[in-house]
Amino acid sequence: MKKTAIIVAGRSGSAFTAQIGTMKVNEEVDAMQTLGLDPMEVLVMPRVFALVLVLPLLTFYADVMGLLGGAVMATIVLDISFFQFLRQLSDAVTLWTFWVGIIKAPFFAFIIGMIGCYEGLQVSRSAESVGRQTTRAVVEAIFLVIVLDALLSIFFSVIGI
Amino acid sequence: MSGAESGMAAGNGGQIGSGRIRQGQEVVSVTGLRTQFGSNVIHEDLDFSVRAGEVMGVVGGSGTGKSVLIRTIIGLNKPRAGRIELFGQDVAALAPTEWRAMQSRWGVLFQDGALFSSLTVAQNVEVPMKEHSDLPAALRRELIEVKIAMVGLPPDAAHKYPAELSGGMRKRAGLARALALDADILFLDEPTAGLDPIGAANFDGLIGDLQRALGLTVVMVTHDLDSLYAICDRVSVLVDKRVKVGTIEELMREPDPWIQEYFGGPRGRAAAGSATRAGETAAAEPALPEQGA
């Protein structure tokens, strides 16, 4: 689900950049390296891994909430009962629509996480550079999510789903 | 391991610090160093060396690359040319495992401590122990207490987060982390910057005491003339992309205008005056109680 990914890019991608960027300003990342710790291993991998794990779950949650909202809306405004809605739904969308969203999620998560962390590590030793890199991270992540979504859509339509 | 042992080692055979180096041996040797960022050349054909057991001050105008020099020596910044030898080994030729082993032989105190903000002081001190040794947890805990006491922090500071500490305490905690392993060389980046004069003098005293008790070799970047007079044996001044080394008296004879201005200006003279006065009283003061023992 692209929309979930965009929200997460705004919420978590920016948080990664700001967190790691602040650590850069504070020379924590340098201190880490002098102690023999690899920032990739300590800062980047756990964040990217966590996002890859969680974004599919969040997508599932967003799907359920979206459908629930649709059902409530249909009941109140269009006077369609909940069971009618469900019947119509199973005609309109296949289970694959759901799976496509779940399959795409880890790819989006990877991109958002990597960009967030990368831009965080690009921060120089000033507070204003944290702000600048955070903005960059969000813009790049949203842009690439949209591009990747288009590419994946092409891919899925080529393999015939 | 402890200050007492190191002190004893200094007594026999001239070995100091962790006992792996000898007093006066060249532990840091930089030759023909060139560093640059883009087209901006910071150091050109720079030679710099530090002998075991001395306190070397590094001074220079802003932008002359004092911190860059230290960052290059500890491997955070790659030189464009030149050779850096630490403990007699060329760092460029070291395998990753050898480099890791070498990293455990120095401690670095960054400006403002650079403590890991998500960890408590005790956990911060534990990081290098976990990374470079396989000490059992109970022993690590004991060592952490020793190190925290050694830098003059109260025991309850151990469980505080960096954000809950004052600037001076963060620096002390940073020093405890830098000394978590038995380092031979301590690199300090502006240790007294941002401290009030009393705090700065106390911190200088602490560094001097630890240096003597543990047989450390100290390289400190500083702006603080009082620190230079109080604890530095020799001073390196960065001018014209290179360094001029000597004791303060030797450097005052240098014709370079920046050096003249720096040591001979009103602040320089004031620091010299107060250092002489302090020297007369300090002789009577007892040395650091060996909390490390």
Side-chain angles (χ1 to χ4, degrees):
Chain A
M1 279 283 264
K2 184 168 67 186
K3 275 165 252 157
T4 319
I6 288 173
I7 291 168
V8 168
R11 160 65 184 77
S12 301
S14 62
F16 288 177
T17 311
Q19 283 167 354
I20 296 177
T22 310
M23 296 180 77
K24 269 296 270 219
V25 172
N26 196 20
E27 290 185 300
E28 282 177 57
V29 179
D30 292 331
M32 217 171 256
Q33 278 171 304
T34 58
L35 293 175
L37 297 164
D38 182 4
M40 267 313 266
E41 207 177 290
V42 180
L43 299 176
V44 178
M45 298 289 278
R47 284 181 169 78
V48 172
F49 183 70
L51 207 56
V52 166
L53 212 65
V54 163
L55 193 57
L57 297 176
L58 207 59
T59 305
F60 175 74
Y61 179 76
D63 283 346
V64 171
M65 285 302 155
L67 291 177
L68 214 61
V72 169
M73 162 79 184
T75 317
I76 295 170
V77 181
L78 304 174
D79 211 18
I80 297 170
S81 81
F82 186 65
F83 293 102
Q84 267 178 305
F85 178 84
L86 278 187
R87 215 175 306 122
Q88 298 276 335
L89 185 72
S90 58
D91 289 342
V93 292
T94 62
L95 203 57
W96 259 109
T97 318
F98 163 76
W99 281 118
V100 164
I102 298 289
I103 291 167
K104 281 186 205 169
F107 293 98
F108 292 155
F110 183 77
I111 281 195
I112 295 165
M114 286 304 272
I115 288 176
C117 293
Y118 172 78
E119 292 297 346
L121 289 171
Q122 291 306 106
V123 166
S124 61
R125 286 213 59 199
S126 73
E128 61 160 337
S129 116
V130 178
R132 197 169 47 237
Q133 300 301 325
T134 306
T135 312
R136 285 185 66 120
V138 174
V139 172
E140 286 169 356
I142 291 178
F143 176 74
L144 283 177
V145 161
I146 293 169
V147 170
L148 184 70
D149 186 52
L151 291 178
L152 286 173
S153 300
I154 294 170
F155 171 75
F156 282 124
S157 72
V158 166
I159 64 166
I161 293 168
Chain B
M1 189 71 37
S2 70
E5 273 173 46
S6 312
M8 262 190 288
N12 31 28
Q15 278 140 344
I16 58 163
S18 60
R20 288 172 288 189
I21 48 173
R22 290 176 172 281
Q23 180 85 39
Q25 175 193 341
E26 274 199 354
V27 284
V28 177
S29 160
V30 176
T31 42
L33 182 75
R34 177 193 172 87
T35 51
Q36 70 185 83
F37 296 111
S39 59
N40 183 15
V41 178
I42 312 282
H43 306 127
E44 178 83 77
D45 195 25
L46 175 148
D47 296 338
F48 174 76
S49 70
V50 182
R51 301 186 201 123
E54 74 174 342
V55 181
M56 170 68 89
V58 179
V59 298
S62 65
T64 50
K66 304 179 291 282
S67 300
V68 174
L69 177 61
I70 290 207
R71 293 172 61 87
T72 308
I73 294 171
I74 59 178
L76 289 175
N77 179 43
K78 288 273 163 275
R80 288 298 177 88
R83 185 181 166 90
I84 299 170
E85 277 182 31
L86 292 168
F87 307 107
Q89 283 177 285
D90 183 358
V91 295
L94 290 180
T97 49
E98 292 173 309
W99 174 247
R100 270 184 68 86
M102 193 169 272
Q103 280 181 320
S104 69
R105 294 186 63 185
W106 66 68
V108 187
L109 172 61
F110 291 91
Q111 270 184 53
D112 205 34
L115 296 169
F116 302 129
S117 44
S118 54
L119 303 179
T120 64
V121 170
Q123 287 167 333
N124 263 285
V125 178
E126 198 176 17
V127 170
M129 296 182 186
K130 272 189 175 163
E131 199 53 30
H132 288 284
S133 75
D134 39 18
L135 297 171
L139 187 56
R140 281 208 302 266
R141 258 197 306 281
E142 238 173 90
L143 270 174
I144 291 165
E145 277 174 30
V146 169
K147 305 284 176 183
I148 287 174
M150 194 167 80
V151 295
L153 284 174
D156 65 316
H159 303 292
K160 288 187 176 157
Y161 287 91
E164 300 172 282
L165 300 176
S166 70
M169 287 171 94
R170 273 203 296 276
K171 288 195 189 220
R172 282 173 192 262
L175 192 58
R177 187 180 64 186
L179 295 172
L181 302 164
D182 297 300
D184 285 318
I185 311 182
L186 191 56
F187 292 97
L188 309 169
D189 191 358
E190 308 242 2
T192 55
L195 299 181
D196 63 78
I198 300 170
N202 287 341
F203 204 78
D204 281 341
L206 173 67
I207 293 168
D209 289 340
L210 288 172
Q211 188 266 333
R212 279 187 296 276
L214 304 176
L216 295 172
T217 307
V218 178
V219 181
M220 60 189 280
V221 168
T222 188
H223 278 301
D224 193 335
L225 281 151
D226 292 310
S227 303
L228 290 180
Y229 278 102
I231 54 173
C232 291
D233 298 314
R234 290 197 300 161
V235 177
S236 293
V237 188
L238 277 151
V239 275
D240 300 330
K241 305 185 170 73
R242 307 186 58 178
V243 288
K244 289 202 162 62
V245 193
T247 60
I248 296 174
E249 292 78 55
E250 285 165 7
L251 286 168
M252 282 169 92
R253 288 196 288 275
E254 284 283 340
D256 184 89
W258 192 87
I259 299 179
Q260 283 302 326
E261 177 75 32
Y262 187 75
F263 290 110
R267 281 163 177 264
R269 287 199 304 274
S274 70
T276 340
R277 283 195 300 280
E280 284 151 14
T281 49
E285 263 176 44
L288 167 93
E290 300 223 336
Q291 286 162 314

